[in-house]
Amino acid sequence: MWAFGKALIEFEATLYQKFHILSGDIIVGKNEFRWHLENMEERGLLRSSDFKGVPSWSRLK
């Protein structure tokens, strides 16, 4: 969630890059990262969307 910063919507690729910059030593592949995003969506924290044909995510809380 902290990778969103103040953005309301972020492209999935941008979130992935921000996560790696902010997390330092944590190594997470794209599939595992997507799994975590989907898990947060199930808990009502995020919502997936397709913004201009590109996978993106929005914060809900």
Side-chain angles (χ1 to χ4, degrees):
M1 291 293 293
W2 39 269
F4 269 95
K6 296 188 184 238
L8 299 176
I9 187 170
E10 281 284 1
F11 293 119
E12 187 172 309
T14 304
L15 276 176
Y16 184 69
Q17 290 174 347
K18 285 182 177 182
F19 172 78
H20 280 290
I21 291 169
L22 295 171
S23 66
D25 295 339
I26 300 172
I27 306 295
V28 176
K30 287 185 180 182
N31 290 335
E32 185 179 353
F33 183 73
R34 178 174 263 279
W35 179 85
H36 285 289
L37 291 173
E38 290 169 352
N39 185 324
M40 286 189 272
E41 183 176 34
E42 289 175 8
R43 293 184 293 159
L45 300 172
L46 300 177
R47 180 181 59 191
S48 63
S49 59
D50 207 35
F51 187 72
K52 296 186 178 183
V54 180
S56 58
W57 294 84
S58 303
R59 290 190 326 173
L60 295 178
K61 294 183 179 181

